[in-house]
Coordinates of all heavy atoms in Angstrom, one line a residue:
M14 N 141.4 188.8 164.6 CA 142.0 187.5 165.0 C 141.1 186.9 166.2 O 140.9 185.7 166.1 CB 143.4 187.8 165.5 CG 144.0 186.5 166.0 SD 145.8 186.9 166.3 CE 146.2 185.5 167.1
F15 N 140.7 187.7 167.2 CA 139.9 187.2 168.3 C 138.5 186.8 167.8 O 137.9 185.9 168.4 CB 139.9 188.2 169.4 CG 141.2 188.3 170.1 CD1 141.9 189.5 170.1 CD2 141.7 187.3 170.9 CE1 143.1 189.6 170.7 CE2 142.9 187.4 171.5 CZ 143.6 188.6 171.5
A16 N 138.1 187.5 166.8 CA 136.7 187.2 166.3 C 136.7 185.8 165.7 O 135.6 185.1 165.8 CB 136.3 188.2 165.2
K17 N 137.8 185.4 165.1 CA 137.8 184.0 164.6 C 137.8 183.0 165.7 O 137.3 181.9 165.5 CB 139.1 183.8 163.7 CG 139.0 184.6 162.4 CD 140.3 184.3 161.6 CE 140.3 185.1 160.3 NZ 141.5 184.8 159.5
L18 N 138.3 183.3 166.9 CA 138.3 182.4 168.0 C 137.0 182.4 168.8 O 136.6 181.4 169.3 CB 139.5 182.8 168.9 CG 140.9 182.5 168.4 CD1 141.9 183.1 169.4 CD2 141.1 181.1 168.1
T19 N 136.4 183.6 168.9 CA 135.2 183.6 169.7 C 134.0 182.9 169.1 O 133.2 182.3 169.8 CB 134.8 185.1 170.0 OG1 134.6 185.8 168.7 CG2 135.8 185.8 170.8
A20 N 133.8 182.9 167.8 CA 132.7 182.2 167.1 C 132.7 180.7 167.4 O 131.7 180.2 167.8 CB 132.7 182.5 165.6
P21 N 133.8 180.0 167.2 CA 133.9 178.6 167.6 C 133.7 178.3 169.1 O 133.0 177.3 169.4 CB 135.2 178.1 167.1 CG 135.7 179.1 166.2 CD 135.1 180.4 166.5
I22 N 134.2 179.2 169.9 CA 134.0 179.0 171.3 C 132.5 179.2 171.7 O 132.0 178.4 172.5 CB 134.9 180.0 172.1 CG1 136.3 179.6 172.0 CG2 134.5 180.0 173.6 CD1 137.3 180.6 172.5
R23 N 131.8 180.2 171.1 CA 130.4 180.4 171.3 C 129.6 179.1 170.8 O 128.7 178.7 171.5 CB 129.9 181.6 170.6 CG 130.3 182.9 171.3 CD 129.7 184.1 170.7 NE 130.3 185.3 171.4 CZ 130.4 186.4 170.8 NH1 130.2 186.6 169.6 NH2 130.9 187.5 171.5
E24 N 130.0 178.6 169.7 CA 129.3 177.4 169.2 C 129.5 176.2 170.2 O 128.6 175.5 170.4 CB 129.9 177.0 167.8 CG 129.4 178.0 166.7 CD 130.0 177.6 165.4 OE1 130.5 176.5 165.2 OE2 130.0 178.5 164.5
L25 N 130.7 176.1 170.7 CA 131.0 175.0 171.6 C 130.2 175.2 172.9 O 129.6 174.3 173.4 CB 132.5 175.0 172.0 CG 132.9 174.0 173.0 CD1 132.7 172.6 172.5 CD2 134.4 174.2 173.4
V26 N 130.1 176.4 173.4 CA 129.3 176.7 174.6 C 127.9 176.4 174.4 O 127.2 175.8 175.2 CB 129.5 178.2 175.1 CG1 128.5 178.6 176.1 CG2 131.0 178.4 175.6
A27 N 127.3 176.8 173.2 CA 126.0 176.5 172.9 C 125.7 175.0 172.8 O 124.7 174.5 173.2 CB 125.6 177.2 171.6
S28 N 126.7 174.3 172.2 CA 126.6 172.8 172.1 C 126.6 172.2 173.4 O 125.8 171.2 173.7 CB 127.7 172.3 171.2 OG 127.6 172.7 169.9
V29 N 127.5 172.6 174.3 CA 127.5 172.1 175.7 C 126.2 172.4 176.4 O 125.7 171.5 177.1 CB 128.8 172.6 176.4 CG1 128.7 172.3 177.9 CG2 130.1 172.1 175.8
Q30 N 125.7 173.6 176.3 CA 124.4 173.9 176.9 C 123.3 173.0 176.4 O 122.5 172.5 177.1 CB 124.1 175.4 176.7 CG 125.0 176.3 177.5 CD 124.7 177.8 177.2 OE1 124.2 178.1 176.2 NE2 125.2 178.6 178.1
G31 N 123.3 172.8 175.1 CA 122.3 171.9 174.5 C 122.4 170.5 175.0 O 121.4 169.8 175.3
F32 N 123.6 170.0 175.1 CA 123.9 168.7 175.6 C 123.4 168.6 177.0 O 122.8 167.6 177.5 CB 125.4 168.3 175.5 CG 125.7 167.0 176.1 CD1 125.4 165.8 175.4 CD2 126.3 167.0 177.3 CE1 125.8 164.6 176.0 CE2 126.7 165.8 177.9 CZ 126.4 164.6 177.2
T33 N 123.7 169.6 177.9 CA 123.4 169.6 179.3 C 121.8 169.6 179.4 O 121.3 168.8 180.2 CB 123.9 170.9 180.0 OG1 125.3 170.8 179.8 CG2 123.6 170.9 181.4
T34 N 121.2 170.4 178.6 CA 119.7 170.4 178.6 C 119.1 169.0 178.2 O 118.2 168.5 178.9 CB 119.1 171.4 177.6 OG1 119.6 172.7 178.0 CG2 117.6 171.4 177.6
A35 N 119.7 168.4 177.2 CA 119.2 167.1 176.8 C 119.5 166.0 177.8 O 118.7 165.1 178.1 CB 119.9 166.7 175.5
L36 N 120.7 166.1 178.5 CA 121.0 165.2 179.6 C 120.1 165.3 180.8 O 119.6 164.3 181.3 CB 122.5 165.5 180.1 CG 123.0 164.6 181.2 CD1 123.0 163.1 180.7 CD2 124.4 165.0 181.6
H37 N 119.7 166.6 181.1 CA 118.7 166.8 182.2 C 117.3 166.2 181.8 O 116.7 165.6 182.7 CB 118.6 168.2 182.6 CG 119.8 168.8 183.3 ND1 120.3 170.0 183.0 CD2 120.5 168.2 184.3 CE1 121.3 170.2 183.8 NE2 121.5 169.1 184.6
R38 N 116.9 166.4 180.6 CA 115.7 165.8 180.1 C 115.7 164.2 180.2 O 114.8 163.6 180.6 CB 115.4 166.2 178.7 CG 114.9 167.6 178.6 CD 114.6 168.0 177.1 NE 114.3 169.4 177.0 CZ 114.4 170.1 175.9 NH1 114.7 169.5 174.8 NH2 114.1 171.4 175.9
L39 N 116.9 163.7 179.8 CA 117.0 162.2 179.8 C 117.0 161.7 181.3 O 116.3 160.7 181.6 CB 118.3 161.8 179.2 CG 118.7 160.3 179.2 CD1 117.6 159.5 178.5 CD2 120.1 160.1 178.7
Q40 N 117.6 162.4 182.2 CA 117.6 162.0 183.6 C 116.2 162.1 184.1 O 115.8 161.2 184.9 CB 118.6 162.9 184.4 CG 120.0 162.7 184.1 CD 120.9 163.7 184.8 OE1 120.6 164.8 185.0 NE2 122.2 163.3 185.0
S41 N 115.5 163.1 183.8 CA 114.1 163.3 184.2 C 113.2 162.1 183.7 O 112.4 161.5 184.4 CB 113.5 164.6 183.8 OG 112.2 164.7 184.1
S42 N 113.4 161.8 182.4 CA 112.7 160.7 181.8 C 113.0 159.4 182.5 O 112.1 158.6 182.7 CB 113.0 160.6 180.3 OG 112.5 161.8 179.6
V43 N 114.2 159.1 182.8 CA 114.6 157.9 183.4 C 114.0 157.8 184.8 O 113.5 156.8 185.3 CB 116.2 157.8 183.5 CG1 116.6 156.7 184.4 CG2 116.8 157.6 182.1
S44 N 114.0 159.0 185.5 CA 113.4 159.0 186.8 C 111.9 158.7 186.7 O 111.3 157.9 187.5 CB 113.6 160.4 187.5 OG 112.9 160.5 188.7
Q45 N 111.2 159.3 185.8 CA 109.7 159.0 185.6 C 109.5 157.6 185.2 O 108.6 156.9 185.7 CB 109.2 159.9 184.5 CG 109.1 161.4 184.9 CD 108.6 162.3 183.8 OE1 108.5 161.9 182.6 NE2 108.3 163.5 184.1
L46 N 110.4 157.0 184.4 CA 110.3 155.6 184.0 C 110.4 154.7 185.2 O 109.7 153.7 185.4 CB 111.3 155.3 182.9 CG 111.3 153.8 182.4 CD1 110.0 153.4 181.8 CD2 112.4 153.6 181.5
S47 N 111.4 155.0 186.1 CA 111.6 154.2 187.3 C 110.3 154.3 188.2 O 109.9 153.2 188.7 CB 112.8 154.7 188.1 OG 114.0 154.5 187.3
E48 N 109.8 155.4 188.3 CA 108.5 155.6 189.2 C 107.4 154.8 188.6 O 106.7 154.1 189.3 CB 108.1 157.0 189.3 CG 109.1 157.9 190.1 CD 108.7 159.4 190.1 OE1 107.6 159.7 189.7 OE2 109.6 160.2 190.5
T49 N 107.3 154.8 187.2 CA 106.2 154.1 186.6 C 106.4 152.6 186.7 O 105.5 151.9 186.9 CB 106.1 154.5 185.1 OG1 105.9 155.9 185.0 CG2 105.0 153.8 184.3
A50 N 107.6 152.2 186.6 CA 107.9 150.7 186.7 C 107.6 150.3 188.1 O 107.1 149.2 188.3 CB 109.4 150.5 186.4
A51 N 107.9 151.1 189.1 CA 107.6 150.7 190.5 C 106.1 150.6 190.7 O 105.6 149.6 191.3 CB 108.2 151.7 191.5
K52 N 105.4 151.5 190.2 CA 103.9 151.5 190.3 C 103.3 150.2 189.5 O 102.4 149.6 190.0 CB 103.3 152.7 189.7 CG 103.5 153.9 190.6 CD 102.9 155.2 190.0 CE 103.2 156.4 190.9 NZ 102.8 157.7 190.3
A53 N 103.9 150.0 188.4 CA 103.5 148.8 187.6 C 103.7 147.5 188.4 O 102.9 146.6 188.4 CB 104.2 148.8 186.2
Q54 N 104.9 147.4 189.0 CA 105.2 146.2 189.8 C 104.2 146.1 191.0 O 103.8 145.0 191.3 CB 106.6 146.3 190.4 CG 107.1 145.0 191.1 CD 107.0 143.8 190.2 OE1 107.5 143.8 189.1 NE2 106.3 142.8 190.7
E55 N 103.8 147.2 191.6 CA 102.8 147.1 192.7 C 101.5 146.6 192.1 O 100.9 145.8 192.8 CB 102.6 148.5 193.3 CG 103.7 149.1 194.1 CD 103.5 150.5 194.6 OE1 102.3 150.9 194.6 OE2 104.5 151.2 194.9
T56 N 101.1 147.0 190.9 CA 99.9 146.6 190.3 C 100.0 145.1 190.0 O 99.0 144.3 190.3 CB 99.6 147.4 189.0 OG1 99.5 148.8 189.4 CG2 98.3 146.9 188.4
V57 N 101.1 144.6 189.5 CA 101.3 143.2 189.2 C 101.2 142.4 190.5 O 100.5 141.4 190.6 CB 102.6 143.0 188.5 CG1 103.0 141.5 188.5 CG2 102.6 143.5 187.1
N58 N 101.8 142.9 191.6 CA 101.7 142.2 192.9 C 100.3 142.1 193.4 O 99.8 141.1 193.9 CB 102.6 142.9 193.9 CG 104.1 142.8 193.6 OD1 104.5 141.9 192.8 ND2 104.9 143.6 194.2
D59 N 99.5 143.2 193.2 CA 98.1 143.2 193.7 C 97.3 142.2 192.8 O 96.5 141.5 193.4 CB 97.5 144.6 193.5 CG 98.1 145.6 194.5 OD1 98.7 145.2 195.5 OD2 97.9 146.9 194.3
I60 N 97.5 142.2 191.6 CA 96.8 141.2 190.7 C 97.1 139.8 191.1 O 96.2 139.0 191.2 CB 97.1 141.5 189.2 CG1 96.5 142.8 188.8 CG2 96.6 140.3 188.3 CD1 97.0 143.3 187.4
Q61 N 98.4 139.5 191.3 CA 98.8 138.2 191.7 C 98.2 137.8 193.0 O 97.7 136.7 193.2 CB 100.3 138.1 191.9 CG 100.9 136.7 192.2 CD 100.6 135.7 191.2 OE1 100.6 136.0 190.0 NE2 100.3 134.5 191.7
K62 N 98.1 138.7 194.0 CA 97.5 138.4 195.3 C 96.0 138.2 195.1 O 95.4 137.2 195.7 CB 97.6 139.6 196.2 CG 97.1 139.4 197.6 CD 97.4 140.6 198.5 CE 96.8 140.4 199.9 NZ 97.0 141.6 200.8
S63 N 95.3 138.9 194.2 CA 93.9 138.7 193.9 C 93.7 137.3 193.3 O 92.7 136.6 193.6 CB 93.4 139.8 193.0 OG 93.4 141.0 193.7
V64 N 94.5 137.0 192.4 CA 94.4 135.7 191.7 C 94.6 134.5 192.7 O 93.8 133.6 192.7 CB 95.4 135.5 190.6 CG1 95.5 134.1 190.1 CG2 95.1 136.5 189.4
E65 N 95.6 134.7 193.6 CA 95.8 133.6 194.6 C 94.6 133.5 195.6 O 94.2 132.4 195.9 CB 97.1 133.9 195.4 CG 98.3 133.7 194.6 CD 99.6 134.3 195.3 OE1 99.5 134.8 196.4 OE2 100.7 134.1 194.7
Q66 N 94.0 134.7 196.0 CA 92.8 134.6 196.8 C 91.6 134.0 196.1 O 90.9 133.2 196.7 CB 92.5 136.1 197.3 CG 93.4 136.7 198.2 CD 93.1 138.1 198.6 OE1 92.4 138.8 197.8 NE2 93.7 138.6 199.6
F67 N 91.5 134.3 194.8 CA 90.4 133.7 194.0 C 90.6 132.2 193.9 O 89.6 131.4 194.1 CB 90.3 134.3 192.6 CG 89.3 133.7 191.8 CD1 88.0 134.1 191.9 CD2 89.7 132.8 190.8 CE1 87.0 133.6 191.1 CE2 88.7 132.3 190.0 CZ 87.4 132.6 190.1
Q68 N 91.8 131.8 193.7 CA 92.1 130.3 193.6 C 91.8 129.6 194.9 O 91.2 128.5 194.9 CB 93.5 130.1 193.1 CG 93.8 130.4 191.7 CD 95.2 130.3 191.3 OE1 96.1 130.5 192.1 NE2 95.5 130.1 190.0
F69 N 92.1 130.3 196.0 CA 91.9 129.7 197.3 C 90.4 129.6 197.6 O 89.9 128.5 198.0 CB 92.5 130.5 198.4 CG 92.3 130.0 199.8 CD1 92.9 128.9 200.3 CD2 91.3 130.7 200.6 CE1 92.6 128.5 201.6 CE2 91.0 130.2 201.9 CZ 91.7 129.1 202.4
K70 N 89.6 130.6 197.2 CA 88.2 130.6 197.5 C 87.5 129.6 196.6 O 86.4 129.1 197.0 CB 87.6 132.0 197.2 CG 88.0 133.0 198.3 CD 87.4 134.4 198.0 CE 87.8 135.4 199.0 NZ 87.2 136.7 198.7
T71 N 88.0 129.4 195.4 CA 87.3 128.5 194.4 C 87.7 127.1 194.5 O 87.1 126.2 193.9 CB 87.4 129.0 193.0 OG1 88.8 129.1 192.6 CG2 86.7 130.4 192.9
A72 N 88.8 126.8 195.2 CA 89.4 125.4 195.2 C 88.4 124.4 195.7 O 88.3 123.3 195.1 CB 90.7 125.4 196.1
A73 N 87.7 124.7 196.7 CA 86.7 123.7 197.3 C 85.6 123.5 196.3 O 85.2 122.3 196.1 CB 86.1 124.2 198.6
H74 N 85.1 124.5 195.6 CA 84.0 124.4 194.6 C 84.5 123.6 193.4 O 83.8 122.7 192.9 CB 83.5 125.8 194.2 CG 83.0 126.6 195.3 ND1 81.8 126.3 195.9 CD2 83.5 127.7 195.9 CE1 81.5 127.2 196.8 NE2 82.6 128.1 196.9
E75 N 85.7 123.9 193.0 CA 86.3 123.1 191.9 C 86.4 121.6 192.2 O 86.1 120.8 191.4 CB 87.7 123.7 191.6 CG 88.4 123.1 190.4 CD 89.7 123.7 190.1 OE1 90.0 124.8 190.5 OE2 90.5 123.0 189.4
K76 N 86.8 121.3 193.5 CA 86.9 119.9 193.9 C 85.6 119.2 193.8 O 85.5 118.1 193.3 CB 87.5 119.8 195.3 CG 87.7 118.4 195.8 CD 88.3 118.4 197.2 CE 88.4 117.0 197.7 NZ 88.7 116.9 199.1
V77 N 84.5 119.9 194.3 CA 83.2 119.3 194.3 C 82.7 119.1 192.8 O 82.1 118.1 192.5 CB 82.2 120.2 195.1 CG1 80.8 119.7 194.9 CG2 82.5 120.2 196.5
I78 N 82.9 120.1 192.0 CA 82.5 120.0 190.6 C 83.3 118.8 189.9 O 82.6 118.0 189.2 CB 82.8 121.3 189.9 CG1 81.9 122.4 190.3 CG2 82.7 121.1 188.3 CD1 82.2 123.8 189.9
Q79 N 84.6 118.7 190.2 CA 85.3 117.6 189.6 C 84.8 116.2 190.1 O 84.7 115.3 189.3 CB 86.8 117.8 189.9 CG 87.7 116.8 189.1 CD 87.5 116.9 187.6 OE1 87.6 117.9 187.0 NE2 87.3 115.7 187.0
E80 N 84.5 116.2 191.4 CA 83.9 114.9 191.9 C 82.6 114.6 191.2 O 82.4 113.4 190.9 CB 83.8 115.0 193.4 CG 85.1 115.0 194.2 CD 84.9 115.3 195.7 OE1 83.8 115.7 196.1 OE2 85.9 115.3 196.4
N81 N 81.8 115.5 191.0 CA 80.5 115.3 190.4 C 80.7 114.9 188.9 O 80.0 114.0 188.4 CB 79.6 116.5 190.5 CG 79.0 116.7 191.8 OD1 78.8 115.8 192.6 ND2 78.8 118.0 192.2
L82 N 81.6 115.5 188.2 CA 81.9 115.2 186.8 C 82.4 113.7 186.8 O 82.0 113.0 185.9 CB 83.0 116.1 186.2 CG 82.5 117.5 185.8 CD1 83.7 118.3 185.3 CD2 81.5 117.3 184.6
D83 N 83.3 113.4 187.7 CA 83.8 112.0 187.7 C 82.7 111.0 188.0 O 82.6 110.0 187.3 CB 84.9 111.8 188.8 CG 86.2 112.6 188.5 OD1 86.4 113.0 187.4 OD2 86.9 112.8 189.5
K84 N 81.8 111.3 188.9 CA 80.6 110.4 189.2 C 79.7 110.3 187.9 O 79.3 109.2 187.6 CB 79.8 110.9 190.3 CG 78.7 110.0 190.7 CD 77.9 110.5 191.9 CE 76.8 109.5 192.4 NZ 76.1 108.8 191.4
L85 N 79.5 111.4 187.3 CA 78.7 111.4 186.0 C 79.3 110.6 185.0 O 78.6 109.8 184.3 CB 78.4 112.8 185.5 CG 77.4 113.7 186.3 CD1 77.4 115.1 185.8 CD2 76.0 113.1 186.2
N86 N 80.6 110.7 184.8 CA 81.3 109.9 183.8 C 81.3 108.4 184.2 O 81.1 107.6 183.3 CB 82.8 110.4 183.7 CG 82.9 111.7 182.9 OD1 82.1 111.9 182.0 ND2 83.9 112.5 183.2
D87 N 81.4 108.1 185.4 CA 81.4 106.7 185.9 C 79.9 106.2 185.6 O 79.8 105.0 185.1 CB 81.7 106.6 187.4 CG 83.2 106.8 187.6 OD1 84.0 106.8 186.7 OD2 83.5 107.1 188.8
D88 N 78.9 107.0 186.0 CA 77.5 106.5 185.7 C 77.3 106.3 184.2 O 76.6 105.4 183.8 CB 76.5 107.5 186.3 CG 76.6 107.6 187.8 OD1 77.1 106.6 188.4 OD2 76.0 108.5 188.4
L89 N 77.7 107.2 183.4 CA 77.6 107.1 182.0 C 78.3 105.9 181.4 O 77.7 105.2 180.6 CB 78.1 108.4 181.3 CG 77.9 108.5 179.8 CD1 76.4 108.4 179.4 CD2 78.5 109.7 179.2
A90 N 79.4 105.6 181.9 CA 80.2 104.4 181.5 C 79.4 103.2 181.9 O 79.3 102.2 181.1 CB 81.6 104.4 182.1
A91 N 78.8 103.2 183.1 CA 78.1 102.0 183.6 C 76.8 101.8 182.7 O 76.5 100.7 182.4 CB 77.7 102.2 185.0
I92 N 76.2 102.9 182.4 CA 75.0 102.8 181.5 C 75.4 102.3 180.1 O 74.7 101.4 179.6 CB 74.3 104.2 181.4 CG1 73.7 104.6 182.7 CG2 73.3 104.2 180.2 CD1 73.2 106.1 182.7
N93 N 76.5 102.7 179.6 CA 76.9 102.2 178.3 C 77.3 100.8 178.4 O 77.0 100.0 177.4 CB 78.1 103.1 177.8 CG 77.6 104.4 177.2 OD1 76.5 104.6 176.8 ND2 78.5 105.4 177.3
R94 N 77.9 100.3 179.5 CA 78.3 98.9 179.6 C 77.0 98.1 179.7 O 76.9 97.0 179.1 CB 79.1 98.7 180.9 CG 80.6 99.1 180.7 CD 81.5 98.6 181.8 NE 81.0 99.0 183.1 CZ 81.4 100.2 183.7 NH1 82.2 101.0 183.1 NH2 80.9 100.5 184.9
H95 N 76.0 98.6 180.5 CA 74.8 97.9 180.6 C 74.0 97.8 179.3 O 73.4 96.8 178.9 CB 73.9 98.6 181.7 CG 72.6 97.9 181.9 ND1 72.5 96.7 182.6 CD2 71.3 98.3 181.6 CE1 71.2 96.3 182.6 NE2 70.5 97.3 182.1
K96 N 74.1 98.9 178.5 CA 73.4 99.0 177.2 C 74.1 98.0 176.2 O 73.4 97.4 175.4 CB 73.5 100.4 176.7 CG 72.8 100.6 175.4 CD 73.0 102.1 175.0 CE 72.6 102.3 173.5 NZ 72.9 103.7 173.1
D97 N 75.4 97.9 176.3 CA 76.1 97.0 175.4 C 75.8 95.6 175.7 O 75.9 94.7 174.8 CB 77.6 97.3 175.5 CG 78.0 98.6 174.9 OD1 77.2 99.2 174.1 OD2 79.1 99.2 175.2
K98 N 75.5 95.2 176.9 CA 75.2 93.8 177.3 C 73.9 93.4 176.7 O 73.7 92.2 176.5 CB 75.2 93.7 178.8 CG 76.6 93.7 179.4 CD 76.5 93.5 180.9 CE 77.8 93.6 181.6 NZ 77.8 93.4 183.0
K99 N 73.0 94.3 176.4 CA 71.7 93.9 175.9 C 71.7 93.6 174.5 O 72.2 93.7 173.6 CB 70.7 95.0 176.2 CG 70.3 95.1 177.7 CD 69.2 96.1 177.9 CE 68.8 96.2 179.3 NZ 67.7 97.0 179.5

């Protein structure tokens, strides 16, 4: 009679132990994922800072280039107007 009761109890204990092991693995994976996400966010922040510094350093050059392009376009338009008059 007790033999019939002990087998299901042993199965239940084994199932609970398996569940506990799986739960610990899941908790460990979640912890590792959190650490990885934090490191990834640091990397994103570093990249953003580098982009902002690059934009700051190139802004003056970009302005000069745009001014030169505008002047070239104006000169080209003037040449075309002069050419059309002839």
Side-chain angles (χ1 to χ4, degrees):
M14 177 175 174
F15 290 113
K17 290 182 181 179
L18 291 175
T19 57
I22 291 172
R23 285 185 183 149
E24 288 177 18
L25 177 64
V26 169
S28 295
V29 169
Q30 288 173 340
F32 175 77
T33 302
T34 300
L36 182 61
H37 286 137
R38 287 182 185 158
L39 176 61
Q40 289 170 333
S41 175
S42 295
V43 168
S44 177
Q45 289 175 351
L46 179 61
S47 294
E48 290 174 14
T49 302
K52 289 177 184 176
Q54 185 60 50
E55 289 176 21
T56 302
V57 167
N58 292 343
D59 290 344
I60 291 170
Q61 181 63 35
K62 184 178 178 181
S63 294
V64 167
E65 289 170 359
Q66 289 174 345
F67 177 79
Q68 288 174 334
F69 176 76
K70 289 179 180 180
T71 60
H74 300 288
E75 183 180 339
K76 182 180 176 187
V77 170
I78 290 169
Q79 188 60 49
E80 288 171 354
N81 287 328
L82 282 173
D83 292 342
K84 184 177 182 326
L85 285 172
N86 284 328
D87 291 343
D88 292 345
L89 182 60
I92 290 170
N93 285 332
R94 281 192 304 273
H95 181 70
K96 181 181 168 185
D97 290 341
K98 288 181 181 180
K99 289 186 176 186

